[in-house]
Amino acid sequence: MRFRHRDGTLVHLAYCTNVHQAEDLDGVLTQLARFGEPVRERLGVDRLGLGLWLARPVASELVADPGAVARLRTELTARGLEVVTLNGFPYQGFHDPVVKHKVYRPDWSTPERTAYTLDLARLLGELLPDDAVRGSVSTLPLGWRTEWRDDRGQLEVLAEGLAKQDRPVRVAFEPEPGCVIETTEQAAALLSEVDKDWLGVCLDTCHLAVGFEDPAAALGRLEAAGLDVVKLQASAALEAANPADPATRRALESFVEPRFLHQSNEGAPPGADDLDLALDGGLPGEGPWRVHFHVPLHADPAPPLRSTRPVLAGTLAELFGGGTARTDHVEVETYTWQVLPDAPADDAGLVAGIAAELDWTRRELITLGLEEVSA
């Protein structure tokens, strides 16, 4: 979906396909028919944006075969779908039974991460709609803090490679709890010397909330450092107002699951690296907890838990409520649908949930004065 800001900026809204399992081209094409087009039809729009996740094997397949890229672009067009952004955070295996720390490997000290990201940028340049101003690729915030070798030399190689592209694609580093860059303050410090023509920040509002960051202050910090919000990931975290309460603890226990990390904070970080560790004494339980568990944007979890949707709404207001749009790529990224305690029972349930999240975001943008435009 597309929206026109009052300053004339064309704002793209998409949903991230890392919620779907696909690590070959046939799998990606299948998800377009199985989910992408049905979500578009349910929303009643003529064009829907996808934030494609192309795992390393898919990217390699596409890079090796120009005909495959043409096939993907043809299929997107035929189904009323467009791509202006890719999620380049997970390398591969994002739907393995256990992902946890593997999602941060390889990190940004390795040439493998650089090669993968430049392949994604090249592919995105070929998939971009003709009228798109630019593309974006989101990526991990350097690496997991305990595994990181302090070597940012690959970022220079990345920027040099992006500058050679025929169509502009920018890469956005996504602060996340527990990583080398987990807050906007760390982003401002550690990315101060990068080539800002090509590199910037992906602001994930679930992560922002888990860090107990104020949206206005966070955006001001990035702006002062000269770092653009290349992309916003619209997401909400799980919140427990009183984690010492037995009923609240039982509710939190239902969100403990083996696939993804669910970093948890009680106030500002550092916190616990996973929700089970927090419940096992990793956090004192004297104040509210926020948990890195992406919950649907449009629906609160059952009481006594709640979501950090107000942080998302506040961030959207800061980005789009003024006279100038402060980003033009918005991606709904609730990748946790299948591991929710009340996970959708079938494809139809997942389609309905994704469409409801996009509709909530659409209505927020319209409330902020943006005008929805057709293809």
Side-chain angles (χ1 to χ4, degrees):
M1 291 185 283
R2 296 173 165 206
F3 301 82
R4 185 73 63 183
H5 190 269
R6 62 183 63 85
D7 70 355
T9 300
L10 188 63
V11 177
H12 298 265
L13 173 62
Y15 89 86
C16 184
T17 67
N18 63 359
V19 65
H20 309 310
Q21 182 172 2
E23 301 221 4
D24 59 28
L25 179 57
D26 286 341
V28 172
L29 295 174
T30 296
Q31 71 184 219
L32 303 184
R34 186 177 168 189
F35 299 107
E37 187 174 15
V39 169
R40 180 185 64 75
E41 291 172 342
R42 189 175 181 95
L43 285 165
V45 296
D46 51 14
R47 177 156 42 181
L48 175 67
L50 299 182
L52 279 183
W53 174 54
L54 301 176
R56 174 75 272 186
V58 187
S60 297
E61 186 178 354
L62 289 167
V63 166
D65 183 1
V69 180
R71 181 183 172 203
L72 174 55
R73 178 160 180 162
T74 297
E75 192 73 7
L76 287 164
T77 301
R79 298 192 180 279
L81 306 171
E82 71 173 10
V83 177
V84 301
T85 188
L86 299 180
N87 189 319
F89 196 131
Y91 190 78
Q92 61 187 35
F94 195 55
H95 289 265
D96 288 351
V98 179
V99 178
K100 301 291 184 180
H101 294 88
K102 290 191 297 183
V103 75
Y104 308 109
R105 305 171 191 143
D107 67 24
W108 272 105
S109 66
T110 68
E112 290 83 4
R113 176 60 67 171
T114 309
Y116 170 57
T117 307
L118 286 173
D119 281 349
L120 292 180
R122 171 186 161 190
L123 293 169
L124 181 56
E126 298 180 51
L127 295 174
L128 282 174
D130 292 340
D131 61 349
V133 174
R134 65 176 183 89
S136 64
V137 178
S138 51
T139 188
L140 69 160
L142 301 183
W144 185 251
R145 69 186 187 283
T146 60
E147 300 177 353
W148 173 247
R149 295 180 292 112
D150 191 9
D151 180 359
R152 280 165 273 173
Q154 291 297 320
L155 304 190
E156 296 180 12
V157 179
L158 172 65
E160 290 170 0
L162 294 171
K164 297 174 183 177
Q165 292 233 146
D166 292 334
R167 299 196 64 184
V169 173
R170 302 182 75 189
V171 169
F173 295 88
E174 180 185 335
E176 176 166 317
C179 291
V180 179
I181 299 174
E182 63 177 333
T183 64
T184 55
E185 183 176 2
Q186 290 170 327
L190 293 174
L191 299 177
S192 61
E193 302 301 322
V194 300
D195 186 337
K196 298 180 181 66
D197 287 339
W198 300 106
L199 309 181
V201 169
C202 171
L203 197 63
D204 183 302
T205 51
C206 169
H207 305 171
L208 192 73
V210 174
F212 286 82
E213 293 200 64
D214 173 74
L219 288 166
R221 199 172 290 122
L222 295 176
E223 187 173 349
L227 289 165
D228 291 338
V229 179
V230 172
K231 171 178 175 177
L232 175 76
Q233 282 184 331
S235 56
L238 186 67
E239 185 171 58
N242 183 12
D245 169 59
T248 299
R249 293 184 72 84
R250 287 194 297 273
L252 286 169
E253 286 167 359
S254 71
F255 284 84
V256 173
E257 57 84 27
R259 183 177 297 169
F260 302 119
L261 274 183
H262 299 296
Q263 303 94 313
S264 305
N265 281 338
E266 183 173 325
D273 284 349
D274 214 339
L275 178 55
D276 59 340
L277 300 176
L279 289 165
D280 196 32
L283 295 177
E286 297 170 355
W289 288 5
R290 288 179 177 176
V291 181
H292 177 218
F293 197 123
H294 289 220
V295 294
L297 305 187
H298 64 289
D300 286 322
L305 302 180
R306 61 195 184 197
S307 89
T308 61
R309 187 187 307 111
V311 176
L312 167 57
T315 305
L316 289 171
E318 290 293 330
L319 288 169
F320 299 112
T324 303
R326 298 168 74 175
T327 191
D328 56 348
H329 290 182
V330 179
E331 177 186 73
V332 170
E333 197 218 12
T334 306
Y335 60 83
T336 46
W337 277 100
Q338 292 92 342
V339 297
L340 286 167
D342 55 348
D346 53 23
D347 287 0
L350 181 55
V351 166
I354 292 170
E357 290 193 291
L358 287 163
D359 185 55
W360 181 90
T361 311
R362 167 170 62 182
R363 287 184 282 109
E364 283 292 301
L365 293 174
I366 291 171
T367 298
L368 291 169
L370 280 73
E371 178 187 2
E372 187 170 0
V373 296
S374 65

